[in-house]
Amino acid sequence: MIDTGHLGAPPDNTEKTFDAVPLRTHSLTLASKALASKALREVQVDLAHVDSITTRGRLAASVAPEVTQSIAAIVANAQAARHFLDLQPPVLDEVRQALDCIVRDAYRVSDVIYRIRGLRPLHGGATEEGARGDDWSDPRRARADA
């Protein structure tokens, strides 16, 4: 049986009042934790995006000298080939060597670009190299078919 005798009796401590602050604090703490958790997820997404951009920037900075050097070599060899063709009589062996160097340097630049493209996924997880699949994107395939 439940004792109900104390219900009509005066309280033991009349000085004590009910304090709602702990209840309010607890509900605010839960709401604050939810907001903090959401904010943390947003900051993590932003940080991952910044990290991705930074990584691409570093990659571009590391690749730029190799690409620039190869393109400069292509230009220099093309100018040399033109010079050897302008001579009387033309020095065809030198022209042939300059053209071979141009092809080699073009392949080097092409390989760098393909490696970069292979690092960047497209929609659906495929890489750009795998998604294109055309012979125009690779000069070596086009030359082998000729």
Side-chain angles (χ1 to χ4, degrees):
M1 194 167 256
I2 300 175
D3 180 23
T4 59
H6 69 284
L7 292 178
D12 294 337
N13 184 357
T14 56
E15 300 295 318
K16 188 174 183 182
T17 60
F18 177 72
D19 188 10
V21 172
L23 291 176
R24 220 178 3 214
T25 304
H26 181 68
S27 65
L28 286 175
T29 303
L30 292 176
S32 297
K33 284 182 181 179
L35 287 173
S37 178
K38 181 180 177 186
L40 177 63
R41 283 191 300 273
E42 290 175 2
V43 168
Q44 286 173 335
V45 167
D46 290 344
L47 183 60
H49 181 69
V50 167
D51 184 51
S52 173
I53 290 172
T54 303
T55 301
R56 283 188 242 155
R58 287 180 180 167
L59 176 64
S62 69
V63 167
E66 185 175 349
V67 171
T68 303
Q69 187 271 336
S70 295
I71 292 172
I74 289 170
V75 170
N77 285 315
Q79 290 173 339
R82 182 183 300 157
H83 168 74
F84 290 123
L85 284 174
D86 288 341
L87 293 177
Q88 292 301 327
V91 185
L92 297 180
D93 287 337
E94 293 293 333
V95 172
R96 194 171 291 108
Q97 287 178 1
L99 292 175
D100 288 342
C101 289
I102 289 172
V103 170
R104 182 197 64 221
D105 291 331
Y107 284 154
R108 185 183 323 154
V109 172
S110 175
D111 288 342
V112 170
I113 291 170
Y114 287 128
R115 287 193 308 259
I116 292 170
R117 284 182 176 171
L119 295 176
R120 184 180 56 149
L122 294 177
H123 301 291
T127 60
E128 186 171 329
E129 184 177 358
R132 285 189 73 176
D134 57 357
D135 288 342
W136 293 102
S137 61
D138 188 351
R140 287 172 289 200
R141 284 190 227 146
R143 186 172 184 214
D145 294 338

